[in-house]
Amino acid sequence: MDRLSLEQKAINTIRMLAVDAVEKANSGHPGMPMGMADCAFVLWTRFLRFNPKDPNWPNRDRFVLSAGHGSMLLYSMLYLSGYEVTLEDLKQFRQWESRTPGHPEYGCLPGVETTTGPLGQGFANGVGMALAAKMAEARLNREGFPIVNHRIFAIVSDGDLMEGISSEAASLAGHLKLGNLIYFYDDNHITIEGSTDLAFSEDVEKRFQSYGWHTVRADGHNLNSIESAIREGIEENERPALILVRTHIGFGSPNKQDKESCHGAPLGKEEVVKTKQNLGWPLEPTFYVPEEVKAIFQERVKELEKEYEKWQALYQTWRKQFPELADLWDQMYRKKVKPSLEEKLVQAVPPGKPTATRIHGWKVLQLAAEEMPGLVGGSADLAPSTKTIIEKASSIRAGDFSGRNLHFGIREHAMGGILNGMALYGGFIPYGSTFLVFSDYMRPSIRLAALMGLQVIYVFTHDSIFVGEDGPTHQPIEHLAVLRAIPGLTVIRPADGIETAYAWAYALRKQDGPTAICLTRQNVPDLPRPEHFDASLIHKGGYVISPEENGRKLSLILVATGSEVAVAMEAKKILQEKGHNIRVVSMPSTSIFAKQPVSYQKEVIPLEIPVVVIEAGIAQGWRDLIPNPMLFIGMHRFGASAPAEVLAEKFGFTGQAVAEKITAWLQK
Ligand SMILES: Cc1ncc(C[n+]2csc(CCOP(=O)(O)OP(=O)(O)O)c2C)c(N)n1
Ligand SMILES: [Mg+2]
């Protein structure tokens, strides 16, 4: 058989694996894998560098399937390329506990670089990976030792490009001249509702050119055309490249090609037969992989083994020649945290005058950056307010990726997706900051960070109505509750300097999930703590910051977070004079407190004692955490534009107002 027909056979194998798997599951998306099979084949057998036996090889090319609905395409490529994936895995597509879920999930199969499915996210993840690669190059490569020299490829679809996040991420990628980025746009003119004519008529090529991308068109069903486009993209090192490949969704299906009907449903028994006949494919067996097709992929893997060995040798010599870089590599990739981290970070926030926790955060960040060389981050144009600049480091910009401060521009959603990509890349602990109220703009990416268990740190400042004059548009009220509702996201709202230092320490130690640190705009006092206070209690998420008087019955517990802990302390003073015996619990993190043994939770908040929760946000979530008889003093409406002190009076967040509310409640 000549090479060309053999390659066509391989491409049809990719198509039919998707068709058969979707048919067997009676659910899934056959159209996209059928349309993009040629591209995937050329990329994986002629360009992509990887080692299926070492799927985490740091210098591998990354491949992101942003159009995650085409998951069967990725699974088939991984199977054919010799990853630890079996044909049985493909047969279990979309089944309970299978390794081949409906959309690619990070961690389910080796070679799946990120979780995709929510359109646009993968696009931004790839940009984050490309940025991280550039930053790794700048730190680790030396003359004659290009130990980081790989690329990031992705397949993006109409849906990906319609989503706002991809515009944000593409704009930044072009600005930063990420020449290591090569994306295929699956230009098939079809989305779920029908032709793209319905809602998408911009000139995508011009759009990307104006972002500063190199663009090239290709015929998605002509291997030479695809190959030369990829080559052009690879040779372009100064700009990211978009290859606009004209493809036909459902290629080969006589009745469904070019139709939306093959986007997200099985072809159906009859059409499967017709498609196989049309492509000259045997009807049986299903999941058929010809031996000669296997051989093509094995050949490629063999070739790549040589490149892998070459890299290993270079890497080992590099380690010997540059021991200080080898040390940096280890620190970055192992993310090892010293046991003394807390002690060190606390030095940044000695007791003093009332200070905003965002200022504490800034001071802590400087020491954290000294401890963790992989800590890098930035803001969506709010760094002067969120206080998240690493002072001793420079800014990342096109052509110079040696710095540590990122400028995302006013692009919160892309920031979220890029942070995920950087965390997935390895070697970096990325943080991103904005006002807490704008966490909404990046929530889909936060959710994915949590789903993937990525170490991403969010610094959300201006964390309550006490933003003040900017008014209700800028005052978060439901945001703490909304973030706390995301499984796996640790939300911390520290009350003062020491709690802020501990929040950062927690985030740096938490390698298997994201952390949101919520900080105040306004000054808050350093809180008094009992003599011999054991600061490690702060890591329990909630602890007794001000105990009741000894020898008298505990009558009430005030639980508060962040800036409201100081208010609770004042209210306690007033109520204590009236004969109550009160304990104050500071609860910087309900997420962490909820994970403590019930015995500890009951020790801090005994079940039979009434509780008053004070937090300048909505009540949702608190009653699930604390089953005691409860009064919630918080927000029941949007905030308002006025000076913070006025808002405290009007909304009842003064010690006096809180004490009065409690007195009235207790008398009921
Ligand atoms: C954020 C988001 N919104 C909606 C969807 C549901 N959805 C899945 S694919 C798709 C669009 C399909 O069109 P396209 O991206 O061009 O993929 P194709 O049909 O060409 O494979 C939509 C709306 C989604 N996955 N993510
Ligand atoms: Mg499409």
Side-chain angles (χ1 to χ4, degrees):
M1 186 181 282
D2 63 38
R3 183 80 193 179
L4 196 64
S5 1
L6 183 59
E7 289 182 334
Q8 278 310 323
K9 206 175 206 182
I11 292 163
N12 284 335
T13 306
I14 300 168
R15 288 197 175 103
M16 291 308 126
L17 282 174
V19 166
D20 286 339
V22 171
E23 208 61 28
K24 180 161 194 293
N26 197 23
S27 144
H29 302 75
M32 188 275 215
M34 293 170 80
M36 283 302 285
D38 309 74
C39 275
F41 175 78
V42 174
L43 176 64
W44 285 69
T45 57
R46 300 184 195 172
F47 295 98
L48 200 70
R49 290 180 304 172
F50 57 93
N51 180 353
K53 295 199 190 86
D54 184 4
N56 297 323
W57 175 27
N59 197 43
R60 69 191 183 281
D61 286 337
R62 308 303 197 267
F63 173 77
V64 173
L65 184 74
S66 188
H69 58 274
S71 55
M72 261 315 297
L73 178 67
L74 178 56
Y75 299 151
S76 303
M77 296 317 291
L78 293 172
Y79 166 69
L80 293 167
S81 300
Y83 281 83
E84 196 229 309
V85 182
T86 64
L87 205 54
E88 189 52 34
D89 286 323
L90 302 190
K91 290 179 182 170
Q92 291 303 312
F93 182 50
R94 296 189 154 229
Q95 303 310 305
W96 174 250
E97 285 191 339
S98 87
R99 302 168 78 217
T100 48
H103 293 84
E105 291 180 35
Y106 179 63
C108 278
L109 273 193
V112 173
E113 300 279 4
T114 178
T115 296
T116 51
L119 290 163
Q121 295 294 330
F123 190 114
N125 295 162
V127 172
M129 292 175 191
L131 178 55
K134 287 275 178 197
M135 290 168 71
E137 282 174 25
R139 285 157 173 71
L140 302 166
N141 284 358
R142 288 297 178 269
E143 186 83 45
F145 290 92
I147 58 156
V148 185
N149 72 334
H150 62 89
R151 302 184 178 85
I152 287 68
F153 295 92
I155 292 177
V156 305
S157 64
D158 296 305
D160 284 306
L161 295 194
M162 286 190 222
E163 290 292 349
I165 185 174
S166 66
S167 303
E168 295 179 14
S171 168
L172 187 60
H175 174 81
L176 289 174
K177 301 190 190 302
L178 301 179
N180 52 353
L181 198 63
I182 300 165
Y183 280 8
F184 295 91
Y185 163 38
D186 179 14
D187 183 11
N188 62 15
H189 298 201
I190 290 289
T191 66
I192 290 179
E193 293 184 1
S195 163
T196 46
D197 284 352
L198 289 168
F200 194 46
S201 47
E202 71 215 29
D203 184 329
V204 171
E205 185 168 18
K206 280 195 189 143
R207 171 181 156 199
F208 275 76
Q209 282 170 352
S210 87
Y211 289 144
W213 288 51
H214 176 74
T215 61
V216 46
R217 287 184 175 274
D219 172 350
H221 304 298
N222 177 321
L223 306 194
N224 290 335
S225 168
I226 296 167
E227 173 167 346
S228 77
I230 300 178
R231 190 143 283 138
E232 201 177 309
I234 284 178
E235 277 161 14
E236 168 63 68
N237 284 319
E238 297 302 310
R239 292 178 291 173
L242 186 72
I243 303 173
L244 302 98
V245 269
R246 179 66 176 106
T247 64
H248 296 279
I249 191 168
F251 184 95
S253 157
N255 298 303
K256 297 201 169 173
Q257 175 175 320
D258 289 323
K259 299 208 175 96
E260 63 272 23
S261 54
C262 68
H263 158 84
L267 294 184
K269 235 187 198 152
E270 251 177 66
E271 190 63 14
V272 170
V273 170
K274 285 184 183 156
T275 303
K276 288 186 174 175
Q277 283 167 345
N278 186 34
L279 293 175
W281 201 251
L283 298 182
E284 293 291 335
T286 53
F287 294 92
Y288 174 49
V289 183
E291 286 305 316
E292 60 275 27
V293 166
K294 281 184 194 159
I296 296 191
F297 286 93
Q298 281 160 3
E299 237 173 75
R300 174 66 182 162
V301 169
K302 264 231 169 74
E303 267 170 44
L304 287 173
E305 259 167 32
K306 279 181 242 151
E307 285 207 33
Y308 176 79
E309 294 304 332
K310 239 173 43 198
W311 183 87
Q312 287 294 352
L314 185 76
Y315 172 70
Q316 291 308 336
T317 323
W318 170 85
R319 286 192 71 97
K320 282 197 201 97
Q321 199 142 327
F322 307 100
E324 73 292 348
L325 290 185
D327 200 42
L328 173 62
W329 173 287
D330 293 343
Q331 284 185 59
M332 284 173 63
Y333 281 88
R334 289 182 196 153
K335 300 186 188 172
K336 207 162 161 222
V337 181
K338 290 192 200 121
S340 58
L341 178 68
E342 283 76 0
E343 240 171 80
K344 164 125 188 182
L345 298 189
V346 166
Q347 287 170 15
V349 287
K353 285 191 307 213
T355 304
T357 53
R358 66 181 163 137
I359 303 289
H360 290 310
W362 169 69
K363 292 182 180 160
V364 171
L365 172 63
Q366 307 312 314
L367 296 188
E370 281 175 21
E371 286 294 294
M372 309 298 288
L375 184 65
V376 296
S379 171
D381 200 44
L382 283 172
S385 298
T386 59
K387 308 287 178 197
T388 43
I389 294 285
I390 299 176
E391 301 295 337
K392 286 187 185 153
S394 60
S395 288
I396 295 290
R397 53 190 171 74
D400 181 3
F401 293 91
S402 61
R404 300 175 73 172
N405 293 306
L406 294 159
H407 301 277
F408 292 99
I410 305 105
R411 303 182 182 100
E412 294 83 5
H413 200 178
M415 174 167 78
I418 289 170
L419 293 172
N420 290 352
M422 296 183 75
L424 286 160
Y425 182 82
F428 293 100
I429 304 175
Y431 66 85
S433 81
T434 182
F435 292 162
L436 179 58
V437 80
F438 301 136
S439 61
D440 282 343
Y441 272 55
M442 54 190 293
R443 192 171 133 78
S445 305
I446 299 174
R447 181 173 191 273
L448 284 168
L451 181 61
M452 288 190 262
L454 301 180
Q455 185 173 26
V456 173
I457 302 172
Y458 308 106
V459 180
F460 292 137
T461 66
H462 298 59
D463 70 347
S464 71
I465 55 163
F466 300 118
V467 164
E469 293 84 345
D470 274 346
T473 53
H474 285 52
Q475 296 168 353
I477 53 161
E478 76 277 30
H479 298 73
L480 289 167
V482 160
L483 292 173
R484 285 172 185 151
I486 300 177
L489 173 67
T490 304
V491 181
I492 312 182
R493 186 176 185 237
D496 62 358
I498 186 170
E499 283 193 13
T500 306
Y502 270 73
W504 263 104
Y506 190 94
L508 292 173
R509 288 187 188 285
K510 175 100 185 131
Q511 291 194 11
D512 61 353
T515 305
I517 303 174
C518 306
L519 303 172
T520 67
R521 172 190 183 229
Q522 79 280 18
N523 288 341
V524 292
D526 275 315
L527 298 166
R529 288 181 176 75
E531 235 182 296
H532 309 300
F533 174 70
D534 172 9
S536 71
L537 287 176
I538 299 173
H539 274 335
K540 294 192 183 292
Y543 64 95
V544 179
I545 189 166
S546 171
E548 66 279 16
E549 243 170 53
N550 246 340
R552 282 206 298 140
K553 191 178 174 315
L554 170 62
S555 54
L556 188 66
I557 302 172
L558 307 185
V559 177
T561 78
S563 48
E564 285 72 76
V565 182
V567 179
M569 297 289 238
E570 274 175 51
K572 169 175 172 168
K573 231 183 267 164
I574 297 166
L575 291 166
Q576 200 81 9
E577 275 165 20
K578 292 188 175 163
H580 297 283
N581 193 19
I582 290 177
R583 166 187 294 192
V584 178
V585 169
S586 178
M587 183 80 73
S589 178
T590 56
S591 336
I592 303 173
F593 186 71
K595 283 196 210 131
Q596 302 307 315
V598 175
S599 56
Y600 176 76
Q601 294 177 1
K602 282 188 184 164
E603 195 186 307
V604 175
I605 305 175
L607 280 179
E608 67 284 1
I609 310 294
V611 166
V612 177
V613 171
I614 309 155
E615 182 174 73
I618 61 168
Q620 267 92 333
W622 280 104
R623 287 192 167 81
D624 298 326
L625 184 71
I626 303 173
N628 302 40
M630 181 193 293
L631 170 67
F632 178 79
I633 298 179
M635 292 299 292
H636 304 276
R637 49 159 283 186
F638 287 117
S641 168
E645 311 79 65
V646 175
L647 294 176
E649 289 287 335
K650 298 285 181 192
F651 287 117
F653 291 102
T654 60
Q656 190 59 42
V658 165
E660 280 166 19
K661 267 189 204 158
I662 292 173
T663 308
W665 180 60
L666 289 175
Q667 279 166 0
K668 265 189 202 159

